[in-house]
Amino acid sequence: MKDTRIFKKLGSSDIWEFRAEYDGNAYRLLSFWDKSQRSLIIATHGFEKKTQKTPLNEIRHAEQIKNEYYENR
């Protein structure tokens, strides 16, 4: 069983969110799987989360980095 409190897929995108808390602050690291490399996870960027939902602009930024990754491979 997956522990979605720590690592979960964000909606219908291919972006995953790693969740961490430190000193009362919530931090998120967005990433995606490079399925051609057997289980390689590429971290795109991180941010301090201040709202309940993951901001759409952060997901879009991760998607842009993912697209650039595949274009430059």
Side-chain angles (χ1 to χ4, degrees):
M1 179 164 69
K2 296 177 187 174
D3 188 350
T4 58
R5 293 171 298 158
I6 298 172
F7 198 57
K8 81 169 200 171
K9 189 171 187 295
L10 295 176
S12 62
S13 74
D14 289 331
I15 302 300
W16 289 72
E17 179 181 69
F18 175 75
R19 301 165 166 208
E21 288 190 30
Y22 177 75
D23 202 22
N25 297 315
Y27 297 96
R28 300 298 186 255
L29 180 64
L30 300 186
S31 59
F32 63 93
W33 297 88
D34 181 342
K35 296 175 184 170
S36 70
Q37 297 295 319
R38 178 134 184 198
S39 61
L40 177 65
I41 299 173
I42 308 295
T44 61
H45 70 290
F47 61 96
E48 183 177 358
K49 190 167 180 184
K50 297 181 180 185
T51 62
Q52 195 70 359
K53 294 187 91 177
T54 303
L56 189 55
N57 66 320
E58 298 292 353
I59 297 170
R60 287 182 180 145
H61 184 66
E63 291 278 359
Q64 179 183 5
I65 292 170
K66 179 186 80 158
N67 292 337
E68 290 173 7
Y69 169 82
Y70 283 115
E71 287 172 7
N72 295 314
R73 259 179 16 136

